[in-house]
């Protein structure tokens, strides 16, 4: 069987951090299982986080009105993207799984990782206007978020002061990863390692190591498949009327995002499709 490749996109300044420890455990455990592991250590690489005209070699198509996505798409087709973006594209192209390892910043990824997302998941390479969600160009790859929080887990419960973690995950997991077609594995969340005791931190890393051993065989998180939507301009890309009708009597909506004005299906973004009794295979049951 061909060797599988895992790309870890990693954002922490310090090799002594808990994030570094989580990244190192992943490198060691996956390598020991025979995977090829590539790490993009964004701060060490001094990765350029801003999407700017410098991302394109040669002349811009419209310098008077610079539009990043348009220029990126043309530059991708004409092989004029900057060398650092092309280097990341080569890594992504090889990867069967991408793990994003980061400390949660402002309910999201650190700016340097947001820059990687903006610059590397280029139109043409990761998606096109016709190829999004389950038709995204990365549909044969898996991706997942592995992150630490400052806050304790209870703050991210549906009644916690920070709000339901599933809501926080939706923009990254649906708006970035699922949008590009990635099969999104359930996130791995290290709750408040700085608040934990040394033995609790060791236990967190051991649990991560145990999960890594079966990670590539895991089922992904369920999203509403595109056939549930009317993908026409007239239909507004909204959930089809018959699907809405089927959900009328149900207690919960389809997904965290497509909640249909109903209570959110519990843990929709943190459990796998097999565990999701509310959206089994995306079909209303
Ligand atoms: C700009 C900004 C925005 C933020 N926004 C949010 C937010 O929206 N929500 C939120 O919850 N938090 C937020 N935070 C907090 C942030 O998420 C946490 O500080 C971060 O996740 C902690 O992870 P770390 O790797 O930096 O921990 P560290 O402080 O590096 O590590 C925690 C502890 O683990 C120890 N450790 C390191 N290696 C090991 C090892 N091998 N084994 C055992 N222990 C080890 C360290 O020595 C340390 O004692 C924010 C922080 C910043 C700076």
């Amino acid at each position: 069987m061909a060797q599988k490749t895992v790309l870890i996109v990693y954002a922490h300044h310090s090799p002594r951090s808990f994030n570094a420890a989580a990244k190192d455990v992943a490198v060691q455990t996956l390598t020991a299982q025979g995977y090829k592991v590539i790490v993009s250590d964004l701060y060490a690489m001094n990765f350029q986080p801003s999407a700017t005209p410098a991302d394109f070699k040669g002349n811009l198509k419209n310098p008077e009105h610079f539009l990043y996505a348009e220029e990126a798409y043309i530059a991708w087709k004409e092989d004029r993207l900057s060398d650092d973006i092309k280097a990341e594209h080569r890594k992504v192209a090889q990867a069967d799984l991408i793990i994003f390892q980061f400390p949660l910043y402002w309910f999201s990824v650190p700016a340097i990782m947001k820059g990687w997302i903006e610059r590397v998941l280029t139109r043409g390479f990761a998606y096109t206007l016709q190829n999004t969600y389950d038709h995204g160009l990365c549909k044969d790859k898996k991706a997942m978020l592995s992150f630490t929080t400052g806050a304790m887990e209870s703050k991210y419960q549906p009644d916690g002061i920070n709000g339901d973690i599933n809501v926080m995950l939706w923009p990254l997991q649906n708006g970035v990863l699922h949008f590009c077609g990635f099969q999104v594995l359930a996130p791995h969340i290290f709750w408040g390692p700085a608040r934990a005791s040394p033995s609790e931190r060791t236990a967190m890393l051991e649990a991560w190591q145990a999960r890594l051993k079966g990670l590539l065989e895991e089922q992904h998180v369920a999203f509403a498949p595109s056939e549930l939507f009317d993908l026409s301009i007239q239909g507004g890309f909204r959930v089809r009327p018959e699907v809405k009708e089927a959900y009328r009597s149900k207690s919960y909506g389809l997904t965290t995002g497509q909640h249909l004005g109903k209570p959110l299906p519990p843990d929709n973004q943190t459990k796998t499709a097999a565990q999701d009794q509310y959206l089994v295979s995306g079909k209303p049951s």
Side-chain angles (χ1 to χ4, degrees), residues 133-254:
Y133 294 113
D134 38 6
H135 303 294
L137 300 179
C138 302
K139 63 180 170 13
D140 297 326
K141 300 177 186 295
K142 300 173 192 233
M144 70 174 291
L145 308 178
S146 172
F147 61 94
T148 55
T149 66
M152 59 175 86
E153 183 175 5
S154 60
K155 287 191 177 178
Y156 288 100
Q157 293 299 307
D159 62 352
I161 194 161
N162 287 351
D164 188 340
I165 191 76
N166 290 274
V167 174
M168 198 212 77
L169 289 165
W170 180 260
L172 288 170
Q173 293 197 159
N174 184 67
V176 176
L177 301 179
H178 179 48
F179 183 84
C180 294
F182 286 105
Q183 301 161 41
V184 181
L185 301 184
H188 199 88
I189 309 175
F190 301 93
W191 299 105
R195 316 167 57 90
S197 67
S199 63
E200 287 170 331
R201 285 197 287 266
T202 302
M204 285 184 202
L205 292 171
E206 286 171 355
W208 177 221
Q209 184 179 41
R211 186 176 172 196
L212 282 159
K213 289 181 178 162
L215 195 60
L216 277 94
E217 281 73 50
E218 281 187 11
Q219 275 231 13
H220 51 82
V221 170
F223 292 92
S226 50
E227 64 256 30
L228 298 193
F229 299 87
D230 181 343
L231 302 178
S232 66
I233 300 290
Q234 303 90 310
F237 297 81
R238 300 177 79 174
V239 172
R240 292 181 181 281
E242 63 270 25
V243 179
K244 277 191 196 161
E245 189 54 40
Y247 267 81
R248 197 177 293 281
S249 59
K250 297 201 177 289
S251 311
Y252 298 100
L254 266 166

Side-chain angles (χ1 to χ4, degrees), residues 16 19 26-27 48-49 53 93 99 110 123 180 256 259 285:
R16 295 191 172 190
N19 270 273
V27 172
Q48 153 65 29
I99 301 175
R123 180 174 160 196
C180 294
T256 303
H259 51 68
S285 51

Side-chain angles (χ1 to χ4, degrees), residues 12 16-19 21 103-107 148 150-151 156 201 205:
H12 201 292
R16 295 191 172 190
S17 66
F18 192 85
N19 270 273
L104 191 67
Y105 277 11
W106 294 113
F107 279 29
T148 55
Y156 288 100
R201 285 197 287 266
L205 292 171

Side-chain angles (χ1 to χ4, degrees), residues 69-145:
E70 313 296 323
E71 295 286 349
Y73 187 41
I74 296 165
W76 176 78
K77 284 195 282 194
E78 295 177 354
D79 195 21
R80 291 189 295 102
L81 289 169
S82 62
D83 292 339
D84 64 338
I85 294 177
K86 284 170 69 172
E88 295 307 297
H89 280 181
R90 283 193 291 276
K91 297 178 196 173
V92 173
Q94 287 183 62
D96 297 286
L97 165 67
I98 303 179
I99 301 175
F100 293 88
Q101 180 65 56
F102 59 95
L104 191 67
Y105 277 11
W106 294 113
F107 279 29
S108 188
V109 293
I112 199 166
M113 188 174 276
K114 181 65 165 30
W116 188 96
I117 289 168
E118 289 180 16
R119 299 179 65 231
V120 177
L121 298 181
T122 315
R123 180 174 160 196
F125 174 76
Y127 72 95
T128 66
L129 297 185
Q130 292 73 37
N131 295 93
T132 57
Y133 294 113
D134 38 6
H135 303 294
L137 300 179
C138 302
K139 63 180 170 13
D140 297 326
K141 300 177 186 295
K142 300 173 192 233
M144 70 174 291
L145 308 178

